[in-house]
Amino acid sequence: MGRPAPKGAAPPGLFYGYTIIAASAALEICTAPGNPAGLSAFLEPMMADLGMTRTAISATWTGALLGASVVAPLGGLALDRFGPCAVGLVATAGLSLSLLVLSGATSGAVCGAALLGVRVAGPECLVIVGSTTVNRWWVRRRGWASVLKSSKKVAMHGFPAVASWAVGVAGWRVTLRWIAAGVAVAGSLASTALSLDPESLGVFPDGDVSPPSPTIAAVEAACSGPSGKPTRRGGVATSQGGDRGAAAVRKRVGGGATVRDASNDRAGVKGISETAAGSEGSIDAREGSSSAPTDTEKGSVEPVWTFEEVMGEPLFWLLIGTNFVFSLFRTGVAMHRVDLYARTGIPKDQIALTTVRAAIANTCGSVGTGLLLDHLGVPTRVWLLIGTYTAQAIGIALLSAPPSSPFGISTALRAQLWVCQYGLFVGAQSCLRSVVVADLFGRKSLGRVNGVMQAVATVAVGLGPLLFGWCRELTGSYTAATRVVLVVALGCTGVLALWRHPRVPKPKVA
């Protein structure tokens, strides 16, 4: 972006965060060959050429996913330690090389190794780089950032159709080589445009003229004890420095939130960080103080959690578990959608059109939710996420209901409406999940946190198709699998709704 702007001054020209969004979207588009929908364009000719059965290729894919889930947290760790540019370049090289190896595969073993490399470097690394970097550059306006980044879905949903056409023209091996070359060029250019956070360029998140309150550096400095090391308990920063800590925050926050004086361990910086992290609620609210941030302040309160604190927070694991269950269902349906859609009454010649409608509904849900997010407080965002899970659970219940029941899917029209309804709420949930996690736990260890989340989601991607396929072979339908998932999904959503959520102040739009 050229010469960094001095702190406290408005940066010249267009905010560099928009470049971050474009680069992150480009990186995530590069991962399309590693997704089930993208890979499906190559499966049939690949199986015929390599002499692999459908069971063998499914087992190979599941093994690659489970192996990738083990490696995913390392991508988040590397992102926090080395930054998005370095990790993006290495992952891009790994993805391109893996696609080249896959294009020259002559056996199932080589195919499995190449698929493992595609998953590790693609969805397990580049997606983490993209989503984490955007959430580090945007704090108050994460909803708007997610809307802009949703433009990638057009390319992601269109990739299978383009890849299928190319395979029919040039063959699957040549197509994969061309994709590998495109990934190498686009991924390298996008990676070099990334920067760890706005502070590293001398600007502030969202293009603000003042930093969020408190900033990561301010809280860590204020929480330093006599040894100079930060002291934390349970996701809440505590100070061994008394007035010195509070003064440090007041000095560094500048135009952000008002900070109240403190002279002991229970006040001062702990009060600020509790307001941000919300584990005990706002101290200012409990004590009736009028020193809480006002609507006229341009700063926003930002929580600061270490990785260890996030891993010890039950709410984080509850969010991960709930997402795991719904991912299990989505991937199971996606892998067997041709057979499943045909059983619900959708003619085979309309299945492709149904998939397009689902993609449009998904994009509308993501964009609409993103436009709404910046006008909602973090607690409301959490409840909205719970609402999307509830709506998806209703969709699972409708799919598992007998066709003869009043709410059963007994006609092609009902099936089409179900696909659009479910796609709409899946799109909304995909937008909310990453934003809510960043809102609740902050930017400090976001790379490692997202790495853990991606690892668990990858396990669901691998197990979902197996669960639904196994149920289909044993019972002749998918009803048993959908009902099992429904019971667990309702349980997780209910617990999430009853859980005590952190209280974080409403973000303010400039």
Side-chain angles (χ1 to χ4, degrees):
M1 186 181 169
R3 181 182 301 174
K7 291 187 177 182
L14 186 68
F15 177 48
Y16 195 71
Y18 291 103
T19 302
I20 296 295
I21 291 175
S24 298
L27 282 182
E28 295 188 30
I29 291 172
C30 290
T31 68
N35 292 320
L39 188 63
S40 63
F42 304 92
L43 283 184
E44 298 297 334
M46 187 184 300
M47 289 188 299
D49 204 356
L50 300 179
M52 299 179 68
T53 64
R54 191 171 299 276
T55 301
I57 195 70
S58 297
T60 301
W61 174 244
T62 299
L65 288 170
L66 295 179
S69 68
V70 177
V71 183
L74 299 180
L77 176 62
L79 176 60
D80 285 340
R81 181 167 297 180
F82 302 108
C85 180
V87 176
L89 287 173
V90 172
T92 296
L95 178 57
S96 300
L97 180 61
S98 298
L99 289 171
L100 286 176
V101 172
L102 183 61
S103 70
T106 56
S107 65
V110 176
C111 177
L115 288 176
L116 175 61
V118 169
R119 279 300 302 195
V120 169
E124 268 58 67
C125 197
L126 289 180
V127 169
I128 296 175
V129 170
S131 63
T132 302
T133 307
V134 168
N135 281 323
R136 277 179 168 154
W137 274 80
W138 299 82
V139 176
R140 289 185 305 102
R141 307 191 67 194
R142 284 186 175 130
W144 172 240
S146 68
V147 168
L148 296 179
K149 197 158 75 75
S150 293
S151 59
K152 69 171 186 178
K153 292 193 173 186
V154 176
M156 296 290 284
H157 291 314
F159 177 84
V162 176
S164 297
W165 171 81
V167 168
V169 172
W172 69 276
R173 294 184 186 273
V174 175
T175 301
L176 280 177
R177 289 168 189 155
W178 278 107
I179 293 175
V183 166
V185 174
S188 298
L189 292 175
S191 297
T192 55
L194 295 178
S195 180
L196 179 62
D197 51 43
E199 289 85 352
S200 63
L201 294 184
V203 295
F204 300 121
D206 308 291
D208 288 343
V209 296
S210 60
S213 173
T215 62
I216 294 174
V219 170
E220 290 183 336
C223 296
S224 297
S227 63
K229 295 181 178 180
T231 303
R232 298 175 180 274
R233 291 198 295 267
V236 178
T238 63
S239 173
Q240 297 177 349
D243 287 330
R244 181 188 63 185
V249 175
R250 284 196 303 272
K251 180 178 180 181
R252 295 191 184 207
V253 165
T258 303
V259 179
R260 201 175 54 184
D261 288 332
S263 57
N264 54 60
D265 288 345
R266 291 190 57 79
V269 178
K270 182 176 180 179
I272 302 163
S273 188
E274 281 185 339
T275 302
S279 60
E280 298 293 338
S282 170
I283 276 187
D284 289 331
R286 290 201 308 270
E287 297 184 6
S289 171
S290 61
S291 61
T294 64
D295 291 338
T296 59
E297 290 169 346
K298 295 183 179 179
S300 58
V301 179
E302 182 181 20
V304 182
W305 290 60
T306 65
F307 178 70
E308 292 75 15
E309 289 166 351
V310 177
M311 294 300 101
E313 171 57 44
L315 177 61
F316 172 73
W317 292 105
L318 183 56
L319 287 168
I320 279 187
T322 306
N323 184 69
F324 174 87
V325 175
F326 286 100
S327 295
L328 197 74
F329 174 79
R330 288 196 304 272
T331 55
V333 170
M335 184 64 73
H336 302 281
R337 60 186 173 187
V338 174
D339 182 46
L340 185 61
Y341 288 174
R343 286 173 169 269
T344 58
I346 299 177
K348 289 188 176 181
D349 58 350
Q350 294 185 21
I351 289 179
L353 180 60
T354 301
T355 303
V356 173
R357 289 170 179 165
I360 293 174
N362 183 290
T363 303
C364 290
S366 181
V367 171
T369 303
L371 291 173
L372 182 64
L373 281 184
D374 291 340
H375 303 283
L376 303 176
V378 175
T380 308
R381 294 179 181 181
V382 176
W383 281 109
L384 187 58
L385 178 62
I386 294 173
T388 63
Y389 285 137
T390 304
Q392 290 178 65
I394 293 174
I396 298 174
L398 293 175
L399 186 64
S400 62
S404 58
S405 66
F407 301 102
I409 302 177
S410 56
T411 64
L413 177 60
R414 286 191 177 188
Q416 298 276 6
L417 292 175
W418 178 87
V419 168
C420 293
Q421 174 264 342
Y422 200 80
L424 182 71
F425 288 106
V426 168
Q429 178 249 310
S430 66
C431 173
L432 278 163
R433 181 173 55 87
S434 62
V435 171
V436 165
V437 169
D439 286 338
L440 293 179
F441 305 113
R443 300 181 292 156
K444 179 177 176 61
S445 304
L446 193 56
R448 282 173 287 178
V449 169
N450 283 340
V452 173
M453 294 183 65
Q454 184 65 36
V456 177
T458 300
V459 175
V461 173
L463 295 181
L466 282 180
L467 172 64
F468 276 71
W470 175 72
C471 180
R472 173 72 171 81
E473 293 295 329
L474 290 182
T475 66
S477 71
Y478 303 97
T479 303
T482 55
R483 289 178 178 175
V484 169
V485 172
L486 174 62
V487 171
V488 180
L490 287 174
C492 291
T493 305
V495 174
L496 186 60
L498 296 174
W499 200 265
R500 185 180 181 184
H501 305 144
R503 297 169 57 191
V504 184
K506 178 180 178 181
K508 298 172 284 296
V509 180

